[in-house]
């Protein structure tokens, strides 16, 4: 189940948290992985782990907001492994400390939209051009904050945008006769560096333990997520086991949005 043998996958933000776990899961499932990150050292670390486990991967430096770099990343993927058939648009930043629209700046709004939404558009645009000949699966990491409010206007808007961008492209690819599926994934709070950093700026909690306990209350399942919970869902969507799933949203949130 969920094997992706022979598939070539690009994972953005693959140096940390969900991107790292996803890169490792896809490699363990038989894929050859191009791990990209603006933090090149982090991407190399993920690739080292994959290789130690007998998997195949390369690391590339990439700022996902740079359109020219997208073209280069795809080109290097093709020349190293061949045509990519999986893209995971995972790189993102949080909107912590930007809940108050009246005190926020347009620059702060643009920075979040640029990485969390504009870059997903760029990745999809370039990947579809490559994938349309032989098909593929694009998985865009949105959030529960793309479904319900609670993370500040820019983060909510960016992740809501990813949700509908994915549906729009799923319909486009279908109408064009491309065998490309596009889906979004909506994690609840996952105990990654991005979430742990909330403790540093929060006015409500002062330690990571307090943060964990406060977030726990919102997850009926009784724990926060770990990156592997999301990686498993992404691997399913990347695999042919999900071949009838497109334009869909996979919520992996321990019941957060069920309340
Ligand atoms: N952790 C959560 O609770 C949670 C919940 C819902 C959604 N998400 C989403 O999941 C994704 C991954 O989050 P995470 O928790 O693993 O975060 P993380 O901070 O642990 O990892 C994010 C990675 O993205 C990279 N990155 C940041 N900006 C980049 C850029 N411009 N170009 C390329 N790479 C860049 C970082 O260097 C880092 O390696 C994000 O899109 C985030 O919004 C996370």
């Amino acid at each position: 189940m969920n094997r992706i043998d022979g598939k070539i996958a690009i994972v953005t933000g693959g140096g940390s948290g969900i991107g790292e776990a996803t890169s490792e899961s896809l490699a363990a499932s038989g894929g050859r992985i191009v791990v990209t990150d603006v933090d090149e050292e982090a991407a190399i670390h993920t690739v080292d782990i994959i290789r130690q486990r007998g998997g195949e991967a390369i690391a590339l430096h990439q700022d996902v907001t740079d359109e020219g770099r997208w073209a280069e990343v795809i080109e290097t993927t093709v020349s190293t492994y061949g045509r990519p058939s999986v893209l995971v648009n995972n790189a993102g930043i949080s909107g912590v400390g930007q809940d108050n629209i009246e005190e926020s700046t347009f620059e702060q709004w643009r920075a979040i939209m640029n990485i969390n939404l504009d870059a997903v558009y760029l990745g999809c645009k370039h990947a579809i051009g490559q994938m349309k000949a032989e098909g593929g699966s694009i998985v865009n990491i949105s959030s529960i904050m793309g479904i319900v409010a609670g993370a500040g206007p820019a983060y909510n808007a960016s992740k809501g945008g990813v949700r509908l961008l994915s549906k729009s492209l799923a319909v486009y690819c279908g109408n064009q006769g491309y065998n490309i599926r596009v889906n979004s994934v909506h994690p609840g709070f996952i105990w990654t560096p991005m979430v742990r950093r909330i403790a540093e700026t929060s006015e409500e909690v002062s330690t990571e333990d307090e943060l964990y306990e406060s977030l726990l209350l919102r997850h009926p399942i009784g724990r926060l997520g770990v990156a592997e919970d999301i990686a498993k869902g992404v691997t399913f969507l990347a695999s042919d086991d999900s071949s009838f799933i497109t334009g869909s949203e996979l919520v992996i949130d321990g019941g957060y949005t069920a309340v």
Side-chain angles (χ1 to χ4, degrees):
M1 287 287 283
N2 298 347
R3 296 296 303 177
I4 61 157
D5 297 292
K7 292 190 195 294
I8 295 146
I10 300 171
V11 181
T12 69
S16 174
I18 292 169
E20 176 183 347
T22 296
S23 300
E24 292 164 9
S25 172
L26 291 171
S29 302
R32 282 175 288 174
I33 318 302
V34 176
V35 180
T36 85
D37 206 295
V38 71
D39 180 347
E40 192 174 7
E41 290 304 312
I44 290 170
H45 178 70
T46 300
V47 166
D48 286 345
I49 291 171
I50 290 172
R51 289 181 181 166
Q52 280 161 20
R53 295 175 183 169
E56 274 190 78
I58 58 166
L60 294 180
H61 177 268
Q62 181 187 22
D63 178 344
V64 287
T65 65
D66 178 347
E67 180 162 18
R69 188 60 185 147
W70 267 109
E72 291 168 2
V73 164
I74 302 258
E75 208 176 284
T76 305
T77 303
V78 172
S79 62
T80 307
Y81 289 138
R83 202 184 283 277
S85 65
V86 176
L87 169 66
V88 184
N89 279 307
N90 163 79
I93 57 171
S94 81
V96 169
Q98 297 184 30
D99 304 9
N100 186 333
I101 190 168
E102 296 171 77
E103 290 175 3
S104 68
T105 65
F106 188 53
E107 285 69 31
Q108 290 170 328
W109 163 273
R110 281 289 341 136
I112 292 177
M113 295 301 277
N114 196 17
I115 296 176
N116 288 5
L117 181 56
D118 297 352
V120 176
Y121 156 84
L122 290 175
C124 290
K125 176 183 166 181
H126 285 267
I128 287 169
Q130 270 300 322
M131 289 178 180
K132 64 184 181 185
E134 292 169 23
S137 172
I138 298 175
V139 183
N140 295 325
I141 307 299
S142 175
S143 170
I144 49 172
M145 297 301 162
I147 302 173
V148 295
Y155 191 82
N156 279 135
S158 69
K159 293 299 185 178
V162 168
R163 175 176 173 269
L164 270 178
L165 171 64
S166 305
K167 291 182 193 300
S168 180
L169 298 180
V171 172
Y172 171 80
C173 288
N175 287 343
Q176 294 297 315
Y178 303 159
N179 183 25
I180 303 174
R181 297 181 295 109
V182 188
N183 292 287
S184 56
V185 170
H186 301 261
F189 280 90
I190 312 299
W191 198 239
T192 66
M194 177 187 279
V195 167
R196 291 204 297 269
R197 279 194 295 271
I198 296 173
E200 294 165 18
T201 51
S202 169
E203 288 172 4
E204 283 123 49
V205 296
S206 45
T207 66
E208 284 192 10
D209 284 350
E210 280 177 29
L211 174 66
Y212 192 97
E213 289 305 316
S214 72
L215 293 173
L216 191 60
L217 299 173
R218 303 186 217 164
H219 295 76
I221 205 157
R223 67 172 175 89
L224 297 196
V226 291
E228 289 71 21
D229 291 320
I230 307 307
K232 287 174 192 164
V234 176
T235 304
F236 167 64
L237 289 174
S239 78
D240 294 339
D241 290 323
S242 59
S243 61
F244 195 53
I245 300 180
T246 194
S248 178
E249 46 195 277
L250 179 55
V251 178
I252 309 176
D253 71 349
Y256 187 109
T257 52
V259 179

